[in-house]
Amino acid sequence: MPFSHHSHSGQFCKHAAGTLEDVVREAIRQGFRTYGLTEHVPRHRVDDLYPEEEGLSLDVLKSQFDAFLAEAHRLKEKYAGQITLLVGLETEYITDTDLTALDALLSEHGTRIEYLVGSVHHVGGIPIDFDRPTFDKALAAFSDDTHPDSMAAFLNAYFDAQYTLMQRFHPEVIGHFDLCRLYNPGLSFRDYPDALARIRRNVQYAVRYGALFELNAAAFRKGWDAAYPGDDVVEIVKEHGGRFTLSDDSHGPHAVGLNYHRLVGYARRVGIDDLWVLASPSLPDGASAWWEDPFWKGRGQT
């Protein structure tokens, strides 16, 4: 097994399972060379908590994230001889408050946060990947006289949020680029020209600053016959010279490397010839990576 840049554990994420160390041990058992630990950033409004978090205070979520960073760096040192662990986070963008808070979080922790997985999970303040009824609620929020085509407006809002996130933080990895069609995997962006134009804009911007686009295996366990992103987005990324990496987006040790055989098959089917991996900031310049040389040496460095 090669590498993953995106993972979660039940220790620090209520909809995942197992401890962070369980996840790391399973990655080692499967022969991963590099594994990214990227719990969600804390949310900043009680209204944004998920049902399984009912009763938790916002202060508890902040303390939980701080504890994640401490544990991740402990494991990074403990298992340094067996695996390269990268310590990052997965973003949220629900309201502008999340962006302001992320700025503060990055300033507070500095280089202890080595990279970002830039993801959007909400549109119009509503989760789009929790379950189908909640997704339908998010879609319905765009159904009014101002938006005669609710899906078109929904997609535009999703990709505009993604663009804002990229502009502000330059995340090293773009997380599940087309999560917006999770419950509509057959949706063709060609049928939504405004959304397609936004996709091209976002891809071009990410390519210019050097982001990696993750091939995310979680789409397979969600019932897709493709990874995120779908092959139409892959073609746009390839057209603009974008680079791809791998992520299992595991939510516990049971999902480490899950469907990676399908992920590799998908990469071959869509004509991806090279995969890239982030290099640990602690590696010496020129250290080699799996399949390709690393281009990244840590946040804020070139």
Side-chain angles (χ1 to χ4, degrees), residues 175-187:
H176 38 61
F177 188 99
D178 52 353
L179 185 71
C180 54
R181 59 178 173 186
L182 166 60
Y183 295 107
N184 298 278
L187 182 147

PDB file of all heavy atoms in Angstrom, residues 175-187:
ATOM      1  N   GLY A 175      -9.842  18.330  -1.073  1.00  0.00           N
ATOM      2  CA  GLY A 175     -10.607  17.171  -0.628  1.00  0.00           C
ATOM      3  C   GLY A 175     -11.869  16.948  -1.440  1.00  0.00           C
ATOM      4  O   GLY A 175     -12.556  17.898  -1.820  1.00  0.00           O
ATOM      5  N   HIS A 176     -12.145  15.678  -1.704  1.00  0.00           N
ATOM      6  CA  HIS A 176     -13.342  15.227  -2.451  1.00  0.00           C
ATOM      7  C   HIS A 176     -13.977  16.373  -3.260  1.00  0.00           C
ATOM      8  O   HIS A 176     -15.023  16.919  -2.893  1.00  0.00           O
ATOM      9  CB  HIS A 176     -14.360  14.559  -1.558  1.00  0.00           C
ATOM     10  CG  HIS A 176     -14.548  15.136  -0.183  1.00  0.00           C
ATOM     11  ND1 HIS A 176     -14.962  16.428   0.054  1.00  0.00           N
ATOM     12  CD2 HIS A 176     -14.391  14.578   1.038  1.00  0.00           C
ATOM     13  CE1 HIS A 176     -15.048  16.636   1.356  1.00  0.00           C
ATOM     14  NE2 HIS A 176     -14.701  15.521   1.973  1.00  0.00           N
ATOM     15  N   PHE A 177     -13.326  16.695  -4.354  1.00  0.00           N
ATOM     16  CA  PHE A 177     -13.627  17.894  -5.146  1.00  0.00           C
ATOM     17  C   PHE A 177     -15.113  18.013  -5.475  1.00  0.00           C
ATOM     18  O   PHE A 177     -15.683  19.103  -5.415  1.00  0.00           O
ATOM     19  CB  PHE A 177     -12.807  17.850  -6.450  1.00  0.00           C
ATOM     20  CG  PHE A 177     -12.880  19.101  -7.279  1.00  0.00           C
ATOM     21  CD1 PHE A 177     -11.868  20.041  -7.221  1.00  0.00           C
ATOM     22  CD2 PHE A 177     -13.954  19.344  -8.126  1.00  0.00           C
ATOM     23  CE1 PHE A 177     -11.919  21.210  -7.981  1.00  0.00           C
ATOM     24  CE2 PHE A 177     -14.021  20.497  -8.893  1.00  0.00           C
ATOM     25  CZ  PHE A 177     -13.002  21.438  -8.811  1.00  0.00           C
ATOM     26  N   ASP A 178     -15.754  16.908  -5.845  1.00  0.00           N
ATOM     27  CA  ASP A 178     -17.152  16.955  -6.294  1.00  0.00           C
ATOM     28  C   ASP A 178     -18.103  16.275  -5.313  1.00  0.00           C
ATOM     29  O   ASP A 178     -19.056  15.590  -5.709  1.00  0.00           O
ATOM     30  CB  ASP A 178     -17.306  16.356  -7.692  1.00  0.00           C
ATOM     31  CG  ASP A 178     -16.694  14.960  -7.814  1.00  0.00           C
ATOM     32  OD1 ASP A 178     -16.022  14.494  -6.864  1.00  0.00           O
ATOM     33  OD2 ASP A 178     -16.885  14.327  -8.868  1.00  0.00           O
ATOM     34  N   LEU A 179     -17.876  16.496  -4.024  1.00  0.00           N
ATOM     35  CA  LEU A 179     -18.776  15.954  -3.009  1.00  0.00           C
ATOM     36  C   LEU A 179     -20.210  16.425  -3.218  1.00  0.00           C
ATOM     37  O   LEU A 179     -21.159  15.771  -2.790  1.00  0.00           O
ATOM     38  CB  LEU A 179     -18.293  16.380  -1.616  1.00  0.00           C
ATOM     39  CG  LEU A 179     -19.056  15.811  -0.424  1.00  0.00           C
ATOM     40  CD1 LEU A 179     -18.756  14.327  -0.257  1.00  0.00           C
ATOM     41  CD2 LEU A 179     -18.733  16.572   0.855  1.00  0.00           C
ATOM     42  N   CYS A 180     -20.384  17.530  -3.900  1.00  0.00           N
ATOM     43  CA  CYS A 180     -21.713  18.097  -4.137  1.00  0.00           C
ATOM     44  C   CYS A 180     -22.636  17.150  -4.893  1.00  0.00           C
ATOM     45  O   CYS A 180     -23.858  17.324  -4.856  1.00  0.00           O
ATOM     46  CB  CYS A 180     -21.601  19.418  -4.879  1.00  0.00           C
ATOM     47  SG  CYS A 180     -20.657  19.317  -6.419  1.00  0.00           S
ATOM     48  N   ARG A 181     -22.110  16.151  -5.578  1.00  0.00           N
ATOM     49  CA  ARG A 181     -22.982  15.205  -6.288  1.00  0.00           C
ATOM     50  C   ARG A 181     -22.948  13.811  -5.640  1.00  0.00           C
ATOM     51  O   ARG A 181     -23.214  12.812  -6.315  1.00  0.00           O
ATOM     52  CB  ARG A 181     -22.641  15.141  -7.775  1.00  0.00           C
ATOM     53  CG  ARG A 181     -21.236  14.730  -8.123  1.00  0.00           C
ATOM     54  CD  ARG A 181     -21.047  14.671  -9.639  1.00  0.00           C
ATOM     55  NE  ARG A 181     -19.655  14.437  -9.992  1.00  0.00           N
ATOM     56  CZ  ARG A 181     -19.202  14.455 -11.248  1.00  0.00           C
ATOM     57  NH1 ARG A 181     -20.033  14.695 -12.252  1.00  0.00           N
ATOM     58  NH2 ARG A 181     -17.928  14.247 -11.504  1.00  0.00           N
ATOM     59  N   LEU A 182     -22.645  13.777  -4.342  1.00  0.00           N
ATOM     60  CA  LEU A 182     -22.610  12.511  -3.622  1.00  0.00           C
ATOM     61  C   LEU A 182     -23.870  11.694  -3.853  1.00  0.00           C
ATOM     62  O   LEU A 182     -23.800  10.493  -4.135  1.00  0.00           O
ATOM     63  CB  LEU A 182     -22.432  12.785  -2.118  1.00  0.00           C
ATOM     64  CG  LEU A 182     -22.692  11.621  -1.162  1.00  0.00           C
ATOM     65  CD1 LEU A 182     -21.762  10.451  -1.458  1.00  0.00           C
ATOM     66  CD2 LEU A 182     -22.556  12.080   0.274  1.00  0.00           C
ATOM     67  N   TYR A 183     -25.018  12.310  -3.731  1.00  0.00           N
ATOM     68  CA  TYR A 183     -26.284  11.582  -3.861  1.00  0.00           C
ATOM     69  C   TYR A 183     -26.825  11.592  -5.292  1.00  0.00           C
ATOM     70  O   TYR A 183     -27.922  11.085  -5.543  1.00  0.00           O
ATOM     71  CB  TYR A 183     -27.318  12.166  -2.899  1.00  0.00           C
ATOM     72  CG  TYR A 183     -26.929  11.958  -1.453  1.00  0.00           C
ATOM     73  CD1 TYR A 183     -26.470  13.026  -0.680  1.00  0.00           C
ATOM     74  CD2 TYR A 183     -26.986  10.694  -0.865  1.00  0.00           C
ATOM     75  CE1 TYR A 183     -26.094  12.840   0.645  1.00  0.00           C
ATOM     76  CE2 TYR A 183     -26.605  10.504   0.454  1.00  0.00           C
ATOM     77  CZ  TYR A 183     -26.163  11.569   1.197  1.00  0.00           C
ATOM     78  OH  TYR A 183     -25.780  11.387   2.511  1.00  0.00           O
ATOM     79  N   ASN A 184     -26.044  12.148  -6.206  1.00  0.00           N
ATOM     80  CA  ASN A 184     -26.409  12.164  -7.630  1.00  0.00           C
ATOM     81  C   ASN A 184     -25.172  11.844  -8.458  1.00  0.00           C
ATOM     82  O   ASN A 184     -24.721  12.660  -9.265  1.00  0.00           O
ATOM     83  CB  ASN A 184     -26.958  13.532  -8.037  1.00  0.00           C
ATOM     84  CG  ASN A 184     -28.216  13.909  -7.291  1.00  0.00           C
ATOM     85  OD1 ASN A 184     -29.319  13.496  -7.641  1.00  0.00           O
ATOM     86  ND2 ASN A 184     -28.056  14.699  -6.234  1.00  0.00           N
ATOM     87  N   PRO A 185     -24.593  10.638  -8.289  1.00  0.00           N
ATOM     88  CA  PRO A 185     -23.318  10.349  -8.951  1.00  0.00           C
ATOM     89  C   PRO A 185     -23.391  10.376 -10.471  1.00  0.00           C
ATOM     90  O   PRO A 185     -22.372  10.546 -11.128  1.00  0.00           O
ATOM     91  CB  PRO A 185     -22.965   8.945  -8.435  1.00  0.00           C
ATOM     92  CG  PRO A 185     -24.264   8.358  -7.969  1.00  0.00           C
ATOM     93  CD  PRO A 185     -25.055   9.504  -7.443  1.00  0.00           C
ATOM     94  N   GLY A 186     -24.588  10.248 -11.020  1.00  0.00           N
ATOM     95  CA  GLY A 186     -24.733  10.308 -12.475  1.00  0.00           C
ATOM     96  C   GLY A 186     -24.882  11.713 -13.012  1.00  0.00           C
ATOM     97  O   GLY A 186     -24.963  11.910 -14.232  1.00  0.00           O
ATOM     98  N   LEU A 187     -24.897  12.700 -12.131  1.00  0.00           N
ATOM     99  CA  LEU A 187     -25.054  14.086 -12.565  1.00  0.00           C
ATOM    100  C   LEU A 187     -23.881  14.493 -13.455  1.00  0.00           C
ATOM    101  O   LEU A 187     -22.725  14.270 -13.113  1.00  0.00           O
ATOM    102  CB  LEU A 187     -25.146  15.001 -11.339  1.00  0.00           C
ATOM    103  CG  LEU A 187     -25.353  16.493 -11.586  1.00  0.00           C
ATOM    104  CD1 LEU A 187     -26.185  17.096 -10.461  1.00  0.00           C
ATOM    105  CD2 LEU A 187     -24.018  17.246 -11.676  1.00  0.00           C
TER     106      LEU A 187
END
